Amino acid sequence: MSLEYPIVKLTQRELMLGSIVGLQRQVECQVSSKNGNRSISEYQKRYGNPGRKGLWNNAIEGALGELAVAKHLNVYHTGIGGYNYVDVGEFYEVRTRPEEYQQLFVKKKDNPDKYYVLVQGAYGEYKIRGWICGKEVFSTPSWYHSNGGNTSEQFWVPLEKMHHINELPKVAP
């Protein structure tokens, strides 16, 4: 029997709120990068090619994915606070990917004492694919690679290693 993954559909108001959060983050990133003069090159150096959708879309979809997880868990979207805030609640970090085949990524600088949730989708409709504890990720060095040179080096968690969202702990790791 295959597991059903929750699908969260954001309302028009939720889409607007999440989009504003993503826009705010992108503007903050550009301002901290000499008013945007080097933002794309700095982003590529740190995180790899942002793809044809661009940085604006990445920031907005990321915030919308966080909002979808917060809505599903009925937990506050703390990511609205700013760049260094936890995405949802006290210990849930969210990674939003547009395609169903795409894996969860965790950066080397990320906190091992958080849970990482994978959301797949775009434009207000998101499938919550699962979660994994940062400690599990960082204790599996074979997951750290360049993903065939398509992205920056980071941990890539195979989809089959993710835990179902219904098993997500409500206490810190």
Side-chain angles (χ1 to χ4, degrees), residues 6-8 10 14 65-78 87-92 94 117 128 165-166 168-170:
I7 294 177
V8 177
L10 300 178
E14 291 165 338
E66 294 166 15
L67 189 58
V69 170
K71 181 177 182 174
H72 178 74
L73 297 176
N74 199 27
V75 175
Y76 187 68
H77 180 206
T78 46
D87 295 336
V88 176
E90 296 178 49
F91 32 76
Y92 305 123
V94 178
V117 179
I128 302 176
I165 195 66
N166 292 346
L168 182 66
K170 295 184 186 329

Side-chain angles (χ1 to χ4, degrees), residues 28 78-79 81-87 93 109:
E28 288 171 348
T78 46
Y83 180 71
N84 287 321
Y85 284 70
V86 175
D87 295 336
E93 296 290 352
K109 67 177 180 137

Side-chain angles (χ1 to χ4, degrees), residues 52-164:
R52 59 193 148 98
K53 293 182 180 177
L55 299 176
W56 291 89
N57 193 63
N58 290 346
I60 290 171
E61 284 296 345
L64 292 172
E66 294 166 15
L67 189 58
V69 170
K71 181 177 182 174
H72 178 74
L73 297 176
N74 199 27
V75 175
Y76 187 68
H77 180 206
T78 46
I80 67 173
Y83 180 71
N84 287 321
Y85 284 70
V86 175
D87 295 336
V88 176
E90 296 178 49
F91 32 76
Y92 305 123
E93 296 290 352
V94 178
R95 299 294 189 264
T96 306
R97 308 298 306 272
E99 305 293 339
E100 284 199 31
Y101 68 88
Q102 292 177 313
Q103 297 174 318
L104 173 80
F105 65 90
V106 178
K107 302 168 194 159
K108 194 172 185 177
K109 67 177 180 137
D110 281 336
N111 188 338
D113 294 322
K114 302 290 181 209
Y115 299 109
Y116 292 86
V117 179
L118 176 61
V119 175
Q120 296 171 327
Y123 308 113
E125 188 168 320
Y126 303 93
K127 181 185 292 186
I128 302 176
R129 189 61 189 262
W131 65 274
I132 194 164
C133 181
K135 290 176 184 175
E136 290 178 77
V137 174
F138 287 100
S139 67
T140 312
S142 62
W143 292 348
Y144 188 76
H145 56 85
S146 68
N147 202 27
N150 294 324
T151 61
S152 61
E153 291 187 20
Q154 46 204 345
F155 291 90
W156 292 93
V157 180
L159 296 175
E160 64 271 9
K161 298 298 182 181
M162 305 288 295
H163 306 284
H164 195 274

